[in-house]
Amino acid sequence: AGGGRLLETIRKWYYNAAGFNKLGLMRDDTLHEDDDVKEALKRLPEHLYNERVFRIKRALDLSLKHQILPRDQWVKYEEDHRYLEPYLKEVIRERHEREAWNKK
């Protein structure tokens, strides 16, 4: 149990050290947009997509101004959810299935 707690502490430290949360971004907002991610984004419900676009635009604006959000607006480790993950997993599974089918 002690090792798990230490690992969780390291994860939280790294999350905060990365700095994207200080711009109001979530982990999934920072993914490199390869073909799989682009397809997953197309499948997002409109409200999730709009929230993502807002966070990214706000982060770009803050970055250009060399500012960060007030501390109470930072995305907290516990509040960051992987909203894109289920869609991305589905896209990757479908791609693997297609690749396997095409090998036959």
Side-chain angles (χ1 to χ4, degrees):
R5 217 173 308 126
L6 176 62
L7 187 60
E8 190 69 11
T9 301
I10 292 170
R11 283 183 182 145
K12 285 182 183 180
W13 174 84
Y14 184 77
Y15 181 86
N16 286 314
F20 57 83
N21 65 319
K22 296 171 186 165
L23 297 172
L25 294 172
M26 299 176 123
R27 271 182 294 218
D28 283 357
D29 297 335
T30 65
L31 293 175
H32 172 71
E33 289 192 22
D34 60 13
D35 291 338
D36 290 338
V37 172
K38 287 177 184 176
E39 180 59 34
L41 288 171
K42 290 178 187 175
R43 299 179 185 195
L44 273 179
E46 188 175 1
H47 74 282
L48 288 178
Y49 182 79
N50 289 340
E51 289 170 4
R52 173 191 168 88
V53 169
F54 171 79
R55 288 190 302 271
I56 291 172
K57 283 184 177 183
R58 178 179 58 185
L60 286 170
D61 184 54
L62 288 166
S63 182
L64 287 170
K65 294 176 182 176
H66 300 284
Q67 296 176 345
I68 60 172
L69 289 171
R71 190 176 191 92
D72 64 329
Q73 294 180 33
W74 292 2
V75 177
K76 293 166 189 61
Y77 177 82
E78 298 78 16
E79 296 170 352
D80 192 329
H81 62 283
R82 300 225 170 170
Y83 64 89
L84 193 59
E85 188 173 13
Y87 303 96
L88 187 55
K89 282 182 177 180
E90 181 180 324
V91 167
I92 292 169
R93 182 188 56 76
E94 289 173 2
R95 180 174 47 80
H96 287 152
E97 201 173 282
R98 257 190 324 276
E99 289 169 356
W101 180 260
N102 289 335
K103 284 183 182 178
K104 291 182 179 182

